[in-house]
Coordinates of all heavy atoms in Angstrom, one line a residue:
Chain N
A24 N 99.5 96.2 122.7 CA 100.9 96.5 122.9 C 101.2 96.4 124.4 O 100.3 96.3 125.2 CB 101.3 97.9 122.4
G25 N 102.5 96.5 124.7 CA 102.9 96.5 126.1 C 104.2 95.8 126.2 O 104.8 95.3 125.2
G26 N 104.8 95.8 127.4 CA 106.1 95.3 127.6 C 106.1 93.8 127.4 O 105.1 93.1 127.2
F27 N 107.3 93.3 127.3 CA 107.5 91.8 127.1 C 106.9 91.0 128.2 O 107.1 91.3 129.4 CB 109.0 91.5 127.0 CG 109.3 90.1 126.7 CD1 109.2 89.7 125.4 CD2 109.6 89.3 127.7 CE1 109.4 88.3 125.1 CE2 109.8 87.9 127.4 CZ 109.7 87.5 126.1
G28 N 106.1 90.0 127.9 CA 105.6 89.1 128.9 C 104.5 89.7 129.8 O 104.2 89.2 130.8
V29 N 103.8 90.7 129.3 CA 102.8 91.3 130.1 C 101.4 90.7 129.8 O 100.5 90.9 130.5 CB 102.8 92.9 129.8 CG1 102.1 93.1 128.4 CG2 102.1 93.6 130.9
G30 N 101.4 89.8 128.8 CA 100.1 89.1 128.6 C 99.4 89.4 127.3 O 98.2 89.2 127.2
K31 N 100.2 90.0 126.3 CA 99.5 90.4 125.1 C 98.9 89.2 124.4 O 97.7 89.2 124.0 CB 100.5 91.0 124.2 CG 101.2 92.3 124.8 CD 102.1 93.0 123.8 CE 103.3 92.2 123.5 NZ 104.3 92.3 124.5
T32 N 99.7 88.1 124.3 CA 99.2 86.9 123.6 C 98.0 86.3 124.3 O 97.0 85.9 123.7 CB 100.3 85.9 123.5 OG1 101.4 86.5 122.9 CG2 99.9 84.7 122.6
T33 N 98.1 86.4 125.6 CA 97.0 85.9 126.5 C 95.7 86.6 126.2 O 94.7 86.1 126.0 CB 97.4 86.0 127.9 OG1 98.7 85.4 128.1 CG2 96.4 85.3 128.8
L34 N 95.8 87.9 126.2 CA 94.7 88.8 125.9 C 94.1 88.5 124.6 O 92.9 88.3 124.4 CB 95.0 90.2 126.1 CG 93.8 91.2 126.0 CD1 93.9 92.2 127.1 CD2 93.7 91.9 124.7
V35 N 94.9 88.4 123.6 CA 94.4 88.1 122.2 C 93.7 86.8 122.2 O 92.6 86.6 121.7 CB 95.6 88.2 121.2 CG1 95.1 87.7 119.8 CG2 96.2 89.6 121.1
G36 N 94.4 85.8 122.8 CA 93.8 84.5 122.9 C 92.5 84.4 123.6 O 91.6 83.6 123.3
A37 N 92.3 85.3 124.6 CA 91.1 85.2 125.4 C 89.8 85.6 124.6 O 88.8 85.1 124.9 CB 91.2 86.1 126.6
V38 N 90.0 86.5 123.7 CA 88.8 86.9 122.9 C 88.8 86.4 121.5 O 87.7 86.5 120.9 CB 88.7 88.5 122.9 CG1 88.2 89.0 124.2 CG2 90.0 89.1 122.5
S39 N 89.9 85.9 121.0 CA 89.9 85.6 119.6 C 89.1 84.3 119.3 O 89.1 83.4 120.2 CB 91.3 85.4 119.1 OG 91.4 84.9 117.8
E40 N 88.5 84.2 118.2 CA 87.7 83.0 117.8 C 88.7 82.0 117.2 O 88.3 80.9 117.0 CB 86.6 83.4 116.9 CG 87.1 83.9 115.5 CD 86.1 84.7 114.8 OE1 85.2 85.2 115.4 OE2 86.2 84.8 113.6
I41 N 89.9 82.4 116.9 CA 90.8 81.4 116.4 C 92.0 81.4 117.4 O 92.1 82.4 118.2 CB 91.4 81.8 115.0 CG1 91.9 83.3 115.0 CG2 90.4 81.6 114.0 CD1 92.5 83.7 113.7
R42 N 92.7 80.4 117.5 CA 93.9 80.4 118.3 C 94.8 81.5 117.9 O 94.9 81.7 116.7 CB 94.6 79.1 118.2 CG 94.0 78.0 119.0 CD 94.8 76.7 118.8 NE 96.2 76.9 119.2 CZ 97.0 75.9 119.6 NH1 96.5 74.7 119.6 NH2 98.2 76.1 119.9
P43 N 95.5 82.2 118.8 CA 96.3 83.3 118.3 C 97.3 82.7 117.3 O 98.0 81.7 117.6 CB 97.1 83.7 119.6 CG 96.2 83.3 120.7 CD 95.5 82.1 120.2
L44 N 97.4 83.3 116.2 CA 98.3 82.8 115.1 C 99.5 83.6 115.2 O 99.5 84.8 115.5 CB 97.6 82.9 113.8 CG 96.3 82.1 113.6 CD1 95.7 82.4 112.3 CD2 96.6 80.6 113.7
R45 N 100.6 83.1 114.7 CA 101.8 83.9 114.7 C 102.3 83.9 113.2 O 102.2 82.9 112.5 CB 102.9 83.3 115.6 CG 102.5 82.8 116.9 CD 103.6 82.7 117.8 NE 103.7 83.9 118.6 CZ 104.8 84.3 119.3 NH1 105.9 83.5 119.3 NH2 104.8 85.4 120.0
T46 N 102.8 85.0 112.8 CA 103.4 85.1 111.5 C 104.9 85.4 111.7 O 105.3 85.9 112.7 CB 102.8 86.1 110.6 OG1 103.1 87.4 111.2 CG2 101.3 86.0 110.6
E47 N 105.6 85.1 110.6 CA 107.1 85.4 110.6 C 107.8 84.9 111.8 O 108.6 85.6 112.4 CB 107.2 87.0 110.5 CG 106.5 87.5 109.3 CD 107.1 88.7 108.7 OE1 108.2 89.1 109.2 OE2 106.6 89.3 107.8
E48 N 107.6 83.7 112.1 CA 108.3 83.1 113.2 C 109.6 82.6 112.8 O 109.7 81.9 111.8 CB 107.4 82.0 113.8 CG 107.9 81.5 115.1 CD 106.8 80.9 115.9 OE1 105.8 80.5 115.3 OE2 106.9 80.8 117.1
A49 N 110.6 82.9 113.5 CA 111.9 82.4 113.1 C 112.0 80.9 113.6 O 111.5 80.6 114.6 CB 113.0 83.2 113.8
L50 N 112.6 80.2 112.7 CA 112.7 78.7 113.0 C 113.5 78.4 114.2 O 113.3 77.4 114.9 CB 113.3 78.0 111.8 CG 112.4 78.1 110.5 CD1 113.1 77.4 109.4 CD2 111.0 77.5 110.8
T51 N 114.4 79.3 114.6 CA 115.3 79.0 115.7 C 114.5 79.1 117.0 O 115.0 78.7 118.1 CB 116.4 80.1 115.8 OG1 115.8 81.4 115.6 CG2 117.4 79.9 114.7
E52 N 113.2 79.5 116.9 CA 112.4 79.6 118.1 C 111.8 78.2 118.5 O 111.2 78.1 119.5 CB 111.2 80.5 117.8 CG 110.3 80.8 118.9 CD 110.9 81.5 120.1 OE1 112.1 81.8 120.1 OE2 110.1 81.8 121.0
A53 N 112.1 77.2 117.7 CA 111.5 75.9 117.9 C 111.6 75.4 119.3 O 112.7 75.5 119.9 CB 112.1 74.9 117.0
G54 N 110.5 75.0 119.9 CA 110.6 74.3 121.1 C 110.7 75.2 122.3 O 110.6 74.8 123.5
R55 N 110.8 76.5 122.1 CA 110.9 77.4 123.3 C 109.5 77.8 123.7 O 108.6 78.1 122.9 CB 111.7 78.6 122.9 CG 112.4 79.2 124.0 CD 113.5 80.2 123.5 NE 114.6 79.4 123.0 CZ 115.5 80.0 122.2 NH1 115.4 81.3 121.9 NH2 116.5 79.3 121.8
P56 N 109.3 77.8 125.0 CA 107.9 78.2 125.5 C 107.6 79.6 125.1 O 108.5 80.5 125.2 CB 108.1 78.1 127.0 CG 109.3 77.3 127.3 CD 110.2 77.4 126.1
V57 N 106.5 79.8 124.5 CA 106.2 81.1 123.9 C 106.2 82.2 124.9 O 106.7 83.3 124.6 CB 104.8 81.0 123.2 CG1 104.3 82.4 122.8 CG2 104.8 80.1 122.0
D58 N 105.6 82.0 126.0 CA 105.5 83.2 126.9 C 106.4 83.1 128.2 O 106.0 83.7 129.2 CB 104.1 83.4 127.3 CG 103.5 84.5 126.5 OD1 104.3 85.3 126.0 OD2 102.2 84.7 126.5
S59 N 107.4 82.4 128.1 CA 108.3 82.3 129.2 C 108.8 83.7 129.6 O 109.2 84.5 128.7 CB 109.5 81.5 128.9 OG 110.5 81.6 129.9
T60 N 108.7 84.1 130.8 CA 109.2 85.4 131.2 C 110.6 85.3 131.8 O 111.2 86.2 132.2 CB 108.3 86.1 132.2 OG1 108.0 85.1 133.3 CG2 107.0 86.5 131.6
E61 N 111.1 84.1 131.9 CA 112.4 83.9 132.3 C 113.4 84.0 131.1 O 113.0 83.7 130.0 CB 112.6 82.5 132.9 CG 111.9 82.3 134.2 CD 111.9 80.9 134.7 OE1 112.5 80.0 134.0 OE2 111.2 80.6 135.7
G62 N 114.5 84.5 131.4 CA 115.5 84.6 130.4 C 115.1 85.5 129.3 O 115.2 85.2 128.1
V63 N 114.6 86.7 129.7 CA 114.1 87.6 128.7 C 115.3 88.0 127.7 O 115.1 88.1 126.5 CB 113.6 88.9 129.4 CG1 113.4 90.0 128.4 CG2 112.3 88.6 130.1
E64 N 116.5 88.0 128.3 CA 117.6 88.5 127.4 C 117.9 87.5 126.3 O 118.2 87.8 125.2 CB 118.8 88.8 128.2 CG 119.3 87.7 129.2 CD 118.3 87.5 130.3 OE1 118.0 88.5 131.0 OE2 117.9 86.3 130.5
T65 N 117.7 86.2 126.6 CA 117.9 85.2 125.5 C 116.9 85.3 124.4 O 117.1 85.1 123.3 CB 117.9 83.8 126.0 OG1 116.6 83.5 126.5 CG2 118.9 83.6 127.1
K66 N 115.7 85.7 124.8 CA 114.6 85.8 123.9 C 114.8 86.9 122.8 O 114.3 86.8 121.7 CB 113.3 86.1 124.6 CG 112.1 86.3 123.8 CD 111.1 85.1 123.9 CE 109.9 85.4 123.0 NZ 109.1 84.3 122.8
S67 N 115.7 87.8 123.1 CA 115.9 88.9 122.2 C 116.5 88.5 120.9 O 116.6 89.3 119.9 CB 116.7 90.0 122.9 OG 118.0 89.5 123.0
T68 N 117.0 87.3 120.8 CA 117.6 86.9 119.5 C 116.6 86.0 118.7 O 117.0 85.4 117.7 CB 118.9 86.1 119.8 OG1 118.5 84.9 120.5 CG2 119.9 86.9 120.5
T69 N 115.4 85.9 119.1 CA 114.6 84.8 118.5 C 113.6 85.3 117.4 O 113.8 85.1 116.2 CB 113.9 84.0 119.6 OG1 113.2 84.9 120.4 CG2 114.9 83.3 120.4
T70 N 112.5 85.8 117.8 CA 111.4 85.9 116.9 C 111.2 87.3 116.3 O 111.4 88.3 117.0 CB 110.1 85.5 117.5 OG1 109.9 86.3 118.7 CG2 110.0 84.1 117.8
V71 N 110.6 87.4 115.2 CA 109.9 88.6 114.7 C 108.5 88.1 114.5 O 108.1 87.6 113.4 CB 110.5 89.0 113.3 CG1 109.8 90.3 112.9 CG2 111.9 89.1 113.3
A72 N 107.8 88.1 115.6 CA 106.5 87.5 115.5 C 105.4 88.5 115.8 O 105.6 89.4 116.5 CB 106.4 86.3 116.5
M73 N 104.3 88.3 115.1 CA 103.1 89.1 115.4 C 102.0 88.1 115.7 O 101.7 87.3 114.9 CB 102.7 89.9 114.2 CG 103.7 90.9 113.7 SD 103.1 91.7 112.2 CE 103.3 90.3 111.1
D74 N 101.5 88.2 116.9 CA 100.4 87.4 117.3 C 99.2 88.1 116.7 O 99.0 89.3 116.8 CB 100.2 87.3 118.8 CG 101.3 86.6 119.4 OD1 101.5 85.4 119.0 OD2 101.9 87.1 120.3
F75 N 98.3 87.3 116.2 CA 97.0 87.9 115.9 C 95.8 87.0 116.1 O 95.9 85.8 116.1 CB 97.0 88.6 114.5 CG 97.0 87.6 113.4 CD1 95.8 87.3 112.8 CD2 98.1 87.1 112.9 CE1 95.7 86.5 111.7 CE2 98.1 86.2 111.8 CZ 96.9 85.9 111.2
G76 N 94.7 87.7 116.3 CA 93.5 87.0 116.6 C 92.4 87.6 115.8 O 92.6 88.7 115.2
R77 N 91.2 87.0 115.7 CA 90.1 87.5 114.9 C 88.8 87.4 115.7 O 88.6 86.5 116.4 CB 90.0 86.7 113.6 CG 89.0 87.2 112.7 CD 88.9 86.3 111.5 NE 88.6 85.0 111.8 CZ 88.9 83.9 111.1 NH1 89.5 84.0 110.0 NH2 88.5 82.7 111.5
I78 N 88.0 88.5 115.6 CA 86.7 88.5 116.1 C 85.7 88.8 115.0 O 85.8 89.9 114.4 CB 86.5 89.5 117.2 CG1 87.5 89.2 118.4 CG2 85.1 89.5 117.7 CD1 87.5 90.2 119.5
T79 N 84.9 87.9 114.6 CA 83.9 88.2 113.5 C 82.7 88.9 114.2 O 82.0 88.2 114.9 CB 83.5 87.0 112.8 OG1 84.7 86.3 112.3 CG2 82.6 87.3 111.6
I80 N 82.5 90.1 113.9 CA 81.3 90.8 114.4 C 80.1 90.3 113.7 O 79.1 89.9 114.3 CB 81.5 92.3 114.3 CG1 82.8 92.8 114.9 CG2 80.3 93.1 114.9 CD1 82.9 92.8 116.4
H81 N 80.1 90.4 112.4 CA 79.2 89.7 111.6 C 79.8 89.4 110.2 O 81.0 89.8 110.1 CB 77.8 90.4 111.5 CG 77.9 91.8 111.0 ND1 78.3 92.1 109.7 CD2 77.7 93.0 111.7 CE1 78.3 93.5 109.6 NE2 78.0 94.0 110.8
D82 N 79.2 88.8 109.3 CA 79.9 88.3 108.1 C 80.4 89.5 107.2 O 81.2 89.2 106.3 CB 79.1 87.3 107.4 CG 77.8 87.9 106.8 OD1 77.5 89.1 107.1 OD2 77.1 87.2 106.0
R83 N 80.0 90.7 107.5 CA 80.6 91.8 106.8 C 81.6 92.7 107.6 O 82.0 93.7 107.1 CB 79.4 92.7 106.3 CG 78.3 92.0 105.5 CD 78.6 91.9 104.1 NE 79.4 90.7 103.8 CZ 80.0 90.4 102.7 NH1 80.0 91.2 101.7 NH2 80.7 89.3 102.5
L84 N 81.8 92.3 108.8 CA 82.6 93.1 109.7 C 83.5 92.2 110.6 O 83.0 91.5 111.4 CB 81.7 94.0 110.5 CG 82.3 95.0 111.5 CD1 83.2 96.0 110.7 CD2 81.2 95.8 112.1
V85 N 84.8 92.4 110.4 CA 85.7 91.5 111.1 C 86.7 92.4 111.8 O 87.3 93.3 111.2 CB 86.4 90.6 110.1 CG1 87.4 89.6 110.9 CG2 85.5 89.8 109.3
L86 N 87.0 92.1 113.0 CA 88.0 92.8 113.8 C 89.2 91.9 114.0 O 89.0 90.8 114.5 CB 87.3 93.2 115.2 CG 88.2 94.0 116.2 CD1 88.5 95.3 115.6 CD2 87.4 94.1 117.5
Y87 N 90.3 92.4 113.7 CA 91.6 91.7 113.9 C 92.3 92.3 115.1 O 92.3 93.5 115.2 CB 92.5 91.7 112.7 CG 92.0 90.8 111.6 CD1 91.2 91.3 110.5 CD2 92.2 89.4 111.6 CE1 90.7 90.5 109.5 CE2 91.8 88.6 110.6 CZ 91.0 89.2 109.5 OH 90.6 88.3 108.5
L88 N 92.9 91.5 115.9 CA 93.8 91.9 117.0 C 95.2 91.6 116.7 O 95.5 90.4 116.3 CB 93.3 91.2 118.3 CG 91.9 91.3 118.6 CD1 91.6 90.5 119.9 CD2 91.5 92.8 118.9
F89 N 96.1 92.5 116.8 CA 97.5 92.3 116.6 C 98.3 92.6 117.8 O 98.2 93.7 118.4 CB 98.0 93.1 115.4 CG 97.6 92.7 114.1 CD1 96.4 93.1 113.5 CD2 98.4 91.8 113.4 CE1 96.0 92.6 112.3 CE2 98.0 91.3 112.1 CZ 96.8 91.8 111.6
G90 N 99.0 91.6 118.3 CA 99.9 91.8 119.4 C 101.2 92.3 118.8 O 101.7 91.8 117.8
T91 N 101.7 93.4 119.4 CA 102.9 94.0 118.8 C 104.1 93.2 119.3 O 104.1 92.6 120.4 CB 103.1 95.4 119.2 OG1 103.0 95.5 120.6 CG2 101.9 96.3 118.6
P92 N 105.2 93.2 118.5 CA 106.4 92.5 119.0 C 106.9 93.2 120.2 O 106.9 94.4 120.3 CB 107.4 92.7 117.8 CG 106.6 93.2 116.7 CD 105.3 93.8 117.2
G93 N 107.4 92.4 121.2 CA 107.8 93.0 122.4 C 109.1 93.6 122.4 O 109.5 94.4 123.3
Q94 N 109.9 93.4 121.4 CA 111.3 93.9 121.4 C 111.5 95.1 120.7 O 110.9 95.4 119.6 CB 112.2 92.8 120.9 CG 112.2 91.5 121.6 CD 111.4 90.5 120.9 OE1 110.3 90.7 120.3 NE2 111.9 89.3 120.8
D95 N 112.3 95.9 121.2 CA 112.6 97.3 120.6 C 113.1 97.2 119.2 O 112.8 98.1 118.4 CB 113.6 98.0 121.5 CG 113.0 98.4 122.8 OD1 111.8 98.3 122.9 OD2 113.8 98.8 123.7

Side-chain angles (χ1 to χ4, degrees):
Chain N
F27 183 81
V29 75
K31 299 186 290 283
T32 309
T33 308
L34 186 136
V35 172
V38 284
S39 174
E40 66 202 19
I41 52 177
R42 282 179 56 155
L44 300 171
R45 319 199 93 195
T46 68
E47 306 212 0
E48 191 157 19
L50 295 176
T51 48
E52 181 66 358
R55 208 163 284 164
V57 169
D58 255 344
S59 167
T60 49
E61 291 171 5
V63 168
E64 52 293 307
T65 65
K66 177 108 179 168
S67 69
T68 59
T69 54
T70 53
V71 187
M73 297 175 290
D74 291 308
F75 72 96
R77 184 181 61 205
I78 300 172
T79 305
I80 306 291
H81 53 69
D82 63 353
R83 307 274 86 191
L84 183 56
V85 184
L86 181 63
Y87 286 97
L88 305 175
F89 284 87
T91 56
Q94 300 104 314
D95 290 348

